[in-house]
Amino acid sequence: MRDLLKQGILGLLNYGDMSGYEIKTIFQQSLNYFWTAQTSQIYRELQSLEKDGWVTSTLVAQKGKPDKKVFSITEAGKEELNRWLREDSQSSVLRIPLLMQTFFRGECSYEENRAFFKRIAATGAVAAYAAQMGDPEKALFWKFTIEYGKMHEEMLRAWSEKCMKELEAQHEHFAD
C-alpha cells in the first residue's frame, strides 16, 4: 500500500515542481478524499523516490526562512508513473478500518455507539477544489476524484444515520 503514496507523489510532481509542504497541502485538499498521508510519510517517500532516481531536489534560498527543498519528477519518474497508470491493479479487496471497528462495536455502550455514528454523520464539509493546474482536461480528473470523495461522504453520512436509527430503535425496545 505504501507504493500508492509514491505513485501519488509522482502524480503530483508530474504537474509541477513542489516542496514537501506543498505536496502535503494538495493531499489535504484533494487526494485526502481517498488516500491519506502524514507529513512524515510524504518526506520519507520523497527520500525514497530520490534514492530510486524518480525525483530530484533543489535547495531554494528564502529570505528570513530556512532554505526550501523543491522536488522535480525525472524522466525515470515519469516512466514509472506511466507504467503504474497503465497496469491493471484494481483490487477487489476492501480494507476499511471504519467497518472493522463497526463490526466489533457490540462491545461498546449505547452512548458510545451513538456518539460514534454521530461523529461520522457530522464529518464532511467538503471544500470545492478548483482546477488549480490551469489545464481543464487534467482538472476534469481531479474533479472526478473529488466527486467520488463527496459521494463517499454522503454515503457515510446516510449509512451512519441509518445505523443510529436502528441503534435507537433497538435501545428503546430493550429499555421498555
Side-chain angles (χ1 to χ4, degrees):
M1 289 292 204
R2 257 183 71 188
D3 284 347
L4 286 178
L5 178 55
K6 286 182 181 183
Q7 302 302 340
I9 292 170
L10 287 174
L12 291 176
L13 289 174
N14 197 48
Y15 289 121
D17 300 348
M18 296 178 208
S19 67
Y21 176 81
E22 291 166 325
I23 292 169
K24 175 59 179 164
T25 300
I26 290 177
F27 255 89
Q28 289 173 328
Q29 296 172 337
S30 59
L31 300 175
N32 196 47
Y33 294 118
F34 54 89
W35 195 265
T36 58
Q38 301 300 316
T39 304
S40 60
Q41 292 173 303
I42 290 172
Y43 283 103
R44 187 171 43 248
E45 292 301 341
L46 283 167
Q47 288 175 349
S48 176
L49 289 167
E50 193 166 23
K51 184 179 172 190
D52 291 340
W54 293 344
V55 302
T56 59
S57 64
T58 307
L59 278 179
V60 176
Q62 302 185 100
K63 283 190 172 189
K65 299 183 204 174
D67 292 347
K68 172 168 73 169
K69 199 173 195 180
V70 176
F71 295 88
S72 306
I73 191 169
T74 63
E75 283 304 312
K78 288 180 182 187
E79 288 173 17
E80 169 56 21
L81 176 63
N82 285 321
R83 181 205 60 77
W84 174 72
L85 287 171
R86 285 165 178 74
E87 81 180 15
D88 184 15
S89 63
Q90 287 190 13
S91 172
S92 62
V93 177
L94 286 177
R95 292 185 180 161
I96 305 173
L98 173 73
L99 294 182
M100 176 72 89
Q101 194 176 23
T102 301
F103 188 85
F104 294 106
R105 291 212 66 86
E107 300 300 315
C108 299
S109 72
Y110 166 77
E111 290 76 18
E112 290 170 320
N113 285 327
R114 180 141 172 62
F116 173 79
F117 290 114
K118 198 169 190 171
R119 277 192 310 276
I120 293 168
T123 35
V126 177
Y129 193 69
Q132 280 186 296
M133 303 323 286
D135 184 336
E137 188 175 342
K138 289 180 182 173
L140 179 63
F141 293 93
W142 285 35
K143 179 179 175 258
F144 290 162
T145 56
I146 290 165
E147 286 174 350
Y148 177 92
K150 287 179 181 179
M151 292 173 81
H152 180 77
E153 284 183 357
E154 289 171 10
M155 182 278 304
L156 274 178
R157 193 171 12 267
W159 172 76
S160 62
E161 288 170 359
K162 182 181 184 313
C163 291
M164 282 191 295
K165 284 180 185 173
E166 288 187 32
L167 187 62
E168 288 170 2
Q170 184 181 20
H171 180 71
E172 289 172 7
H173 175 74
F174 287 110
D176 293 335

